[in-house]
């Protein structure tokens, strides 16, 4: 398991791993671009809900150590997105038996193929689209916000069933499943089964203030 990961502007994935890990050892002894690897990423909902796995992604490509002048730039990119103390340990071990291996190593995965299976369906993703993608502005806040909605506003979430038209969800338990700049997804459970409903915001949100306005509009529409 990498301690941290990030994506470069070119779409490569930078991984920070233990210098003693199998991946680090294999990459260190492989010739350039001849070590193939697959990263599997599992997205788990941060709230208690049936079927919590929201999606999986697989990134396949070629794994190499980050070397030379690229080390400083990649370390800065990792530190910017994932501040971790392990970045300070990327030096040769000073502990017995003095192996000479770095405590931590940065690896680069040059991505050649991507597949995703999530709440929106299964499909292949062009690596160039990964390079061009930007992080959703809600990603840093999603976990906290979903847990807050679940614990403090469960009754308000239940009112959203009024926006579903003919689909009857009254009496079912409403649990917030995912949140992004475009809307909120809620899972309704109870009775004979469960289903997901997507509630789009009037317009994309860029920050917490915009999210508050969007959620207020959503709950106001549900109460009328």
């Amino acid at each position: 398991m990498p301690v941290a990961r990030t994506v470069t502007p070119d779409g490569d994935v930078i991984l920070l791993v233990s210098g003693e890990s199998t991946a680090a050892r294999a990459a260190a002894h492989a010739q350039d671009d001849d070590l193939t690897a697959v990263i599997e990423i599992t997205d788990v909902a941060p709230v208690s809900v049936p079927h919590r796995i929201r999606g999986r992604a697989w990134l396949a490509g070629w794994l190499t150590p980050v070397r030379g002048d690229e080390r400083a730039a990649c370390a800065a990119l990792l530190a910017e997105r994932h501040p971790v103390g392990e970045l300070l340990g990327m030096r040769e071990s000073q502990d017995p038996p003095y192996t000479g291996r770095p405590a931590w190593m940065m690896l680069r995965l040059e991505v050649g193929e991507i597949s995703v299976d999530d709440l929106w369906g299964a499909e292949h993703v062009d690596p160039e689209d990964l390079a061009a993608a930007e992080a959703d502005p809600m990603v840093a806040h999603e976990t906290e916000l979903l847990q807050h909605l679940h614990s403090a506003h469960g009754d308000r979430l239940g009112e959203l069933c009024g926006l579903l038209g003919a689909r009857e969800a009254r009496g079912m338990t409403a649990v917030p499943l995912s949140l992004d700049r475009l809307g909120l997804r809620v899972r309704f459970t109870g009775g004979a089964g469960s289903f997901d409903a997507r509630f789009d915001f009037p317009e994309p949100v860029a920050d917490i203030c915009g999210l508050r306005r969007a959620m207020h509009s959503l709950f106001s529409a549900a109460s009328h």
Side-chain angles (χ1 to χ4, degrees), residues 177-189:
L177 185 64
S178 67
L179 175 71
D180 56 53
R181 70 186 186 281
L182 300 177
L184 173 71
R185 184 180 291 267
V186 177
R187 178 161 295 168
F188 292 90
T189 62

Side-chain angles (χ1 to χ4, degrees), residues 66-129:
V66 176
R67 297 189 174 100
D69 295 340
E70 295 182 332
R71 287 168 55 85
C74 289
L77 189 60
L78 275 171
E80 175 186 342
R81 300 183 183 177
H82 301 279
V84 287
E86 286 81 358
L87 287 167
L88 300 176
M90 289 190 297
R91 53 178 175 77
E92 291 189 349
S93 173
Q94 299 301 309
D95 301 322
Y98 306 109
T99 60
R101 284 191 291 269
W104 301 93
M105 180 181 289
M106 285 185 294
L107 303 179
R108 178 193 303 274
L109 182 76
E110 181 184 349
V111 180
E113 184 178 353
I114 306 170
S115 58
V116 175
D117 185 357
D118 59 17
L119 298 171
W120 289 266
E123 64 178 329
H124 289 280
V125 178
D126 192 312
E128 292 183 357
D129 291 336

Side-chain angles (χ1 to χ4, degrees), residues 31-44:
Q31 297 298 317
D32 287 348
D33 299 334
D34 73 348
L35 181 63
T36 57
V38 178
I39 300 175
E40 179 178 346
I41 301 173
T42 302
D43 178 27
V44 181

Side-chain angles (χ1 to χ4, degrees), residues 4-224:
R5 66 175 185 269
T6 191
V7 180
T8 71
D10 295 329
D12 294 341
V13 180
I14 304 300
L15 307 168
L16 181 64
V17 301
S18 166
E20 299 295 329
S21 67
T22 301
R25 291 174 184 238
H29 291 90
Q31 297 298 317
D32 287 348
D33 299 334
D34 73 348
L35 181 63
T36 57
V38 178
I39 300 175
E40 179 178 346
I41 301 173
T42 302
D43 178 27
V44 181
V47 293
S48 179
V49 63
H51 312 296
R52 289 182 66 177
I53 294 179
R54 301 186 297 190
R56 288 190 171 92
W58 295 267
L59 294 82
W62 300 271
L63 198 65
T64 57
V66 176
R67 297 189 174 100
D69 295 340
E70 295 182 332
R71 287 168 55 85
C74 289
L77 189 60
L78 275 171
E80 175 186 342
R81 300 183 183 177
H82 301 279
V84 287
E86 286 81 358
L87 287 167
L88 300 176
M90 289 190 297
R91 53 178 175 77
E92 291 189 349
S93 173
Q94 299 301 309
D95 301 322
Y98 306 109
T99 60
R101 284 191 291 269
W104 301 93
M105 180 181 289
M106 285 185 294
L107 303 179
R108 178 193 303 274
L109 182 76
E110 181 184 349
V111 180
E113 184 178 353
I114 306 170
S115 58
V116 175
D117 185 357
D118 59 17
L119 298 171
W120 289 266
E123 64 178 329
H124 289 280
V125 178
D126 192 312
E128 292 183 357
D129 291 336
L130 173 64
E134 295 183 2
D136 190 283
M138 294 295 103
V139 69
H141 312 286
E142 186 197 25
T143 294
E144 180 182 358
L145 291 171
L146 289 181
Q147 291 174 348
H148 174 72
L149 284 172
H150 183 41
S151 62
H153 300 288
D155 55 338
R156 300 298 304 276
L157 290 172
E159 294 175 2
L160 294 177
C161 66
L163 300 175
L164 300 179
R167 175 170 259 172
E168 183 57 58
R170 298 190 184 279
M172 302 183 76
T173 300
V175 180
L177 185 64
S178 67
L179 175 71
D180 56 53
R181 70 186 186 281
L182 300 177
L184 173 71
R185 184 180 291 267
V186 177
R187 178 161 295 168
F188 292 90
T189 62
S194 65
F195 66 89
D196 292 353
R198 172 82 176 181
F199 301 95
D200 293 331
F201 297 144
E203 60 183 21
V205 300
D207 51 34
I208 294 297
C209 291
L211 177 64
R212 290 195 185 100
R213 291 192 296 269
M215 292 298 297
H216 178 75
S217 297
L218 201 60
F219 287 137
S220 295
S223 62
H224 290 85

